[in-house]
């Protein structure tokens, strides 16, 4: 399987996705695995074994930490410059204005 993306929302899974099986306060991602496995060729990032699936799974001790580690590796592989907007007031406005300005310059 060629991996195309890493998703946390079961509705966004497609062939090639890795679905993150996260147990939340109200919903457990494990409840979506059987349905995903019937419809797609996907893999699963999970903190517990998954039985009776066609796809593969990657067993980790902490799914959320693993997603963060994967994201950090991906960001580090990009040549794009990054900036951070901090403070207690005006972050959203500043971020939107930066986005508009950068988009108008082709970024």
């Amino acid at each position: 399987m060629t991996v195309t993306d890493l998703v946390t929302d079961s509705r966004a899974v497609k062939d090639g996705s890795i679905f993150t099986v996260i147990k939340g306060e109200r919903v457990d991602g494990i409840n979506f695995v059987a349905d995903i496995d019937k419809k797609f060729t996907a893999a699963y990032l999970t903190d517990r074994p998954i039985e009776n699936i066609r796809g593969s799974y990657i067993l980790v001790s902490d799914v959320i930490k693993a997603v963060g580690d994967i994201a950090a590796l991906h960001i580090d592989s990009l040549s794009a410059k990054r900036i951070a907007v901090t403070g207690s007031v005006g972050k959203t406005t500043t971020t939107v204005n930066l986005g508009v300005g950068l988009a108008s310059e082709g970024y």
Side-chain angles (χ1 to χ4, degrees), residues 78-83:
L78 302 174
S79 61
K81 295 187 183 203
R82 294 168 276 183
I83 60 170

Side-chain angles (χ1 to χ4, degrees), residues 11-22:
R11 297 167 294 186
V13 173
K14 58 186 183 285
D15 286 339
S17 294
I18 295 179
F19 176 63
T20 55
V21 182
I22 298 172

Side-chain angles (χ1 to χ4, degrees), residues 1 33 37-38 40-44 50 52-57:
M1 178 181 106
V33 169
D37 200 57
K38 288 178 192 169
F40 303 103
T41 302
Y44 308 92
I50 305 172
N52 303 319
I53 58 170
R54 294 178 306 126
S56 300
Y57 65 87

Side-chain angles (χ1 to χ4, degrees), residues 25-80:
E25 289 182 26
R26 296 184 201 173
V27 179
D28 188 345
I30 199 81
N31 297 333
F32 301 102
V33 169
D35 192 44
I36 291 169
D37 200 57
K38 288 178 192 169
K39 297 178 183 176
F40 303 103
T41 302
Y44 308 92
L45 185 64
T46 180
D47 59 3
R48 55 214 142 144
I50 305 172
E51 296 181 10
N52 303 319
I53 58 170
R54 294 178 306 126
S56 300
Y57 65 87
I58 303 162
L59 188 62
V60 297
S61 60
D62 184 332
V63 176
I64 294 173
K65 181 180 181 318
V67 169
D69 292 344
I70 293 166
L73 285 170
H74 177 68
I75 288 170
D76 288 345
S77 74
L78 302 174
S79 61

